[in-house]
């Protein structure tokens, strides 16, 4: 089921116009700005968009969030465990091409984020996400949970990819918040 859902969602992304993607990305950014303004400045991990993901890079330049620090995920193969590590962001001129052709900060200055914003092909209202199938975020969140370092997590997707399907499996990690251009769901609050 997940494989066919991924194929269908990638097709939907492929037909989204650049203008629609920009407009909807800006709506998501606005929602995240509002959310982050409710907490003390901290380290927030965002992602470099690829394959039609919402572009949230403008968060790093928002005056309201100037006291926040930013980090980007980097695929790591530490001790044969494929997990994400988070590199401090020091400006867009300091990027190199990483795993899967995704830009990552040069010169790993590793940090532990307090919040992680996670791209998703799909999300459901229970906070379970459908990614690309490699399991990077699930393994990383599982490891951080075991180390008692689990950050607050925000799943991001396009509105049409907020679905009712219950596609989660036992290893899947639910996010704390679901954000789309038109929706904001505080999942953890609704699960308790």
């Amino acid at each position: 089921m997940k494989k066919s859902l991924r194929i269908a969602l990638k097709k939907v992304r492929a037909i989204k116009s650049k203008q629609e993607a920009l407009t909807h990305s800006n709506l998501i950014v606005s929602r995240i700005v509002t959310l982050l303004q409710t907490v003390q400045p901290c380290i927030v991990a965002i992602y470099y968009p690829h394959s039609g993901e919402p572009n949230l890079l403008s968060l790093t330049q928002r005056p309201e969030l100037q006291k926040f620090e930013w980090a980007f995920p980097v695929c790591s193969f530490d001790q044969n465990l494929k997990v994400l590590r988070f590199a401090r962001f020091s400006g867009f001129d300091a990027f190199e091409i990483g795993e899967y052709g995704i830009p990552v900060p040069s010169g790993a200055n590793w940090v532990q984020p307090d919040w992680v914003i996670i791209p998703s092909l799909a999300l459901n209202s229970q906070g379970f996400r459908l990614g690309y199938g490699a399991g990077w975020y699930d393994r990383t969140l599982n490891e951080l949970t075991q180390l008692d370092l689990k950050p607050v997590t925000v799943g991001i997707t396009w509105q049409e990819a907020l679905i009712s399907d219950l596609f989660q499996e036992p290893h899947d990690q639910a996010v704390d918040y679901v954000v789309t251009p038109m929706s904001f769901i505080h999942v953890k609050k609704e699960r308790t």
Side-chain angles (χ1 to χ4, degrees):
M1 176 180 138
K2 283 186 171 183
K3 185 177 181 178
S4 60
L5 190 52
R6 282 186 183 101
I7 292 168
L9 290 164
K10 286 178 182 179
K11 286 180 182 177
V12 170
R13 277 187 175 183
I15 61 172
K16 187 176 283 291
S17 73
K18 287 183 181 183
Q19 184 57 49
E20 182 183 21
L22 176 62
T23 300
H24 288 185
S25 291
N26 288 337
L27 289 169
I28 293 171
V29 165
S30 293
R31 290 181 180 283
I32 294 173
V33 167
T34 300
L35 175 61
L36 290 176
Q37 287 180 306
T38 68
V39 300
Q40 292 295 316
C42 58
I43 300 172
V44 180
I46 62 173
Y47 58 89
Y48 204 99
H50 75 102
S51 302
E53 293 169 341
N55 184 340
L56 310 181
L57 296 177
S58 66
L59 282 169
T60 66
Q61 308 301 313
R62 294 294 293 251
E64 315 92 302
L65 304 177
Q66 66 182 347
K67 293 185 179 179
F68 283 76
E69 294 182 57
W70 303 96
F72 284 81
V74 178
C75 295
S76 173
F77 300 90
D78 292 347
Q79 303 163 353
N80 296 323
L81 179 63
K82 293 165 59 171
V83 294
L84 297 170
R85 298 291 179 232
F86 299 92
R88 186 180 307 277
F89 169 71
S90 59
F92 288 109
D93 56 341
F95 273 80
E96 63 189 25
I97 300 302
E99 199 74 20
Y100 305 106
I102 301 170
V104 298
S106 302
N109 179 1
W110 303 121
V111 294
Q112 177 58 48
D114 302 293
W115 287 65
V116 178
I117 299 174
I118 305 172
S120 309
L121 276 172
L123 286 155
N124 65 25
S125 61
Q126 292 79 39
F128 289 99
R129 59 180 290 280
L130 181 68
Y132 292 100
W136 285 97
Y137 279 101
D138 286 324
R139 281 191 304 277
T140 301
L141 295 175
N142 184 52
E143 178 189 52
L144 293 173
T145 299
Q146 289 178 7
L147 296 171
D148 202 27
L149 297 172
K150 186 176 184 294
V152 176
T153 52
V154 181
I156 304 297
T157 198
W158 299 118
Q159 191 66 39
E160 58 273 12
L162 179 58
I163 59 178
S164 59
D165 292 2
L166 298 176
F167 49 75
Q168 63 266 25
E169 295 176 20
H171 65 272
D172 290 337
Q173 297 281 321
V175 296
D176 299 305
Y177 296 91
V178 171
V179 179
T180 72
M182 310 300 174
S183 303
F184 175 87
I185 303 168
H186 187 178
V187 177
K188 184 164 267 184
K189 179 180 174 184
E190 292 179 9
R191 282 192 298 214
T192 57

